[in-house]
Amino acid sequence: MILIKSIPRLQKIIQKYSHKRISLVPTMGALHEGHLSLIRAARKKSDIVVVSIFVNPIQFGPKEDYKRYPRPFNKDKKLLDADILFHPDVKEMYPDGYSTYVSEERLSNTMCGLSRPGHFKGVCTVVLKLFNIVQPDIAFFGQKDYQQALIIKRMVRDLNLPIKIEIMPTVREPDGLAMSSRNKYLSQAERKKAVILYQSLLERKKPRGIKLDYFVRVDKDTLRPRKDGRLLAVAGWVGKTRLVDNVII
Ligand code: AMP
């Protein structure tokens, strides 16, 4: 596996692989089995697997956890099976004077977009930059962040990017909690409690005992509320940690 921090250097290497099928798995690191399942899927469907690890500052709100987000880079590097690991610094991605952003303006205005204004604009911007740098044939995202994956699909369609987006199933802990890098923030008691998010989806009832952000049943393509919608999604704070989960029914 080659570790690359420089964008021009990665672009040069990618040029050499123009005849190969390239996949991209964008992550923020603190890797767990959810990320690894995406990387394995990428391996199966391509010749060259590129994984990015970049904690993207512009997708965090001012009061969110950008500074304390876990960054166990050396451990991540050992866990990974990729051909290329792209791990740029913030200055490499957003040099002084950076001023161009991409925003999807329909699917972003609901669910997580309401409590995290600007979040999906930050996500779309970084993902489009990664797509332009790596020029993958196929990119992998997790269903755990369903709204994000749908917005990326929309961006790819709207901006005519020649990239296939694959959405992979949510990987869960044995008790059902969706794996997430943010689960590391949970105390033992909170970790026990966190399973009520998934339970609420299975029971189709709002979770009790946590600070709820939303619990919605929506159309899985438009994210508009519908009584017979097939996406059931929940977000809430377990202690100070904001977690999301969803199921397709
Ligand atoms: P993150 O590092 O949290 O930005 O996640 C990177 C990618 O991994 C995103 O496409 C996530 O949706 C995906 N992902 C995160 N957690 C899981 C999980 N438990 N199961 C499947 N995919 C996941």
Side-chain angles (χ1 to χ4, degrees), residues 26-28 32 34-35 38 69 141-142 144-145 148 169-171 179:
T27 83
M28 299 206 298
H32 51 67
H35 298 111
L38 301 188
Y69 198 85
F141 294 86
K144 207 262 296 174
D145 304 285
Q148 163 174 287
T170 302
V171 177
M179 288 192 184

Side-chain angles (χ1 to χ4, degrees), residues 25-38 52-54 59 69 140-146 148-149 166-173 177-183:
V25 183
T27 83
M28 299 206 298
L31 301 181
H32 51 67
E33 197 45 46
H35 298 111
L36 300 182
S37 73
L38 301 188
S52 61
I53 295 185
F54 179 63
Q59 72 184 66
Y69 198 85
F140 291 80
F141 294 86
Q143 189 194 315
K144 207 262 296 174
D145 304 285
Y146 184 92
Q148 163 174 287
E166 291 268 0
I167 304 181
M168 304 305 293
T170 302
V171 177
R172 300 181 178 281
E173 299 288 355
L177 175 66
M179 288 192 184
S180 162
S181 306
R182 290 194 167 96
N183 293 350

